[in-house]
Amino acid sequence: ADDVVRRLKKQMKEHSDRLEFERASMVRDQVTALERTVERQMLSTTRKEDLDVFGIAREEDRACVQVFFVRGTQMIGRDHFVVEGTKDETDEAVLSSFLKQYYEGAQYIPRLVVVPTKPDEQEQLEEMLSQRREAIVEIRVPQRGVKIQLLKMARENAVEALQMLTVRWLADISKTEAALEQLREELSLPGIPRRIECYDNSNIQGSN
């Protein structure tokens, strides 16, 4: 499965480099399906757990945080979030700020929160989470075992999520530029329009 995922990721990059963004998105969906299957298989052989796993990836002025939800021996879900304006922040600061906001609105808080680096104000965070859970909550940077593997997968997923956001952004730009070029040709404009103004003329009642 790992070899297949690597080949698909290579194909996705090749499509992206050739500006074939739609094909890149289709390959990305295949990669996601395979990775989820592998993750579930891996977790099905481990002991029962109650934890959230966070991975973080950075790119220019934004960060992507991926979270895995592990309950019992299964990963029951996942999600990712994009945080803007992180260029001048450390990973520790970004993670601390994100965890505060995330768990303020979370419906469930697990016994263990697995993170790639010690967040700023870790003790205060643990105290806040413990009060909300009404039981002790630990924030831990793992050193070995399956949690390291989960952390690695969460990080890889965060990196890929950022890459796909870039692909989609480029695809949107490509479609917009193609549409503007078509508009230029249809209206015989000297160049691509950079500003388009619209006026509601529904009330002139045929006077023009």
Side-chain angles (χ1 to χ4, degrees), residues 55-79:
I56 186 171
R58 308 283 297 274
E59 183 180 86
E60 297 181 356
D61 197 34
R62 61 184 176 182
C64 179
V65 181
Q66 173 81 49
V67 56
F68 292 161
F69 311 107
V70 181
R71 305 290 182 264
T73 60
Q74 299 293 323
M75 182 187 298
I76 65 168
R78 66 163 78 190
D79 208 344

Side-chain angles (χ1 to χ4, degrees), residues 29-195:
D29 291 341
Q30 293 176 326
V31 171
T32 299
L34 276 171
E35 286 180 334
R36 289 184 178 179
T37 300
V38 171
E39 288 158 4
R40 291 191 182 100
Q41 288 175 344
M42 188 191 78
L43 285 172
S44 66
T45 62
T46 63
R47 63 189 177 88
K48 290 185 178 181
E49 299 278 9
D50 178 30
L51 54 92
D52 289 348
V53 182
F54 291 88
I56 186 171
R58 308 283 297 274
E59 183 180 86
E60 297 181 356
D61 197 34
R62 61 184 176 182
C64 179
V65 181
Q66 173 81 49
V67 56
F68 292 161
F69 311 107
V70 181
R71 305 290 182 264
T73 60
Q74 299 293 323
M75 182 187 298
I76 65 168
R78 66 163 78 190
D79 208 344
H80 72 267
F81 306 86
V82 176
V83 183
E84 302 285 352
T86 61
K87 187 174 182 179
D88 299 322
E89 300 290 337
T90 64
D91 286 356
E92 292 79 6
V94 171
L95 192 57
S96 177
S97 177
F98 176 81
L99 291 175
K100 285 179 186 176
Q101 295 182 48
Y102 177 78
Y103 282 115
E104 279 179 357
Q107 295 183 346
Y108 178 79
I109 298 174
R111 180 187 63 82
L112 178 63
V113 175
V114 175
V115 292
T117 185
K118 181 179 178 180
D120 289 347
E121 303 177 339
Q122 178 174 336
E123 293 182 1
Q124 292 92 323
L125 279 170
E126 288 178 328
E127 183 178 351
M128 180 193 81
L129 296 180
S130 298
Q131 288 177 350
R132 289 211 57 206
R133 178 181 166 85
E134 298 183 348
I136 293 176
V137 175
E138 179 186 359
I139 299 175
R140 185 193 306 170
V141 180
Q143 302 300 318
R144 60 183 182 277
V146 69
K147 294 180 183 63
I148 283 287
Q149 293 176 283
L150 287 169
L151 201 56
K152 180 182 177 182
M153 286 193 294
R155 156 72 181 173
E156 290 173 349
N157 275 244
V159 170
E160 290 168 9
L162 272 183
Q163 291 174 343
M164 284 310 301
L165 285 171
T166 301
V167 167
R168 289 170 185 162
W169 178 71
L170 290 172
D172 289 341
I173 289 179
S174 179
K175 290 177 181 177
T176 299
E177 290 179 345
L180 290 175
E181 177 60 29
Q182 183 177 353
L183 184 62
R184 183 195 68 78
E185 292 178 359
E186 293 290 339
L187 299 179
S188 300
L189 300 175
I192 290 177
R194 298 299 178 186
R195 175 174 175 175

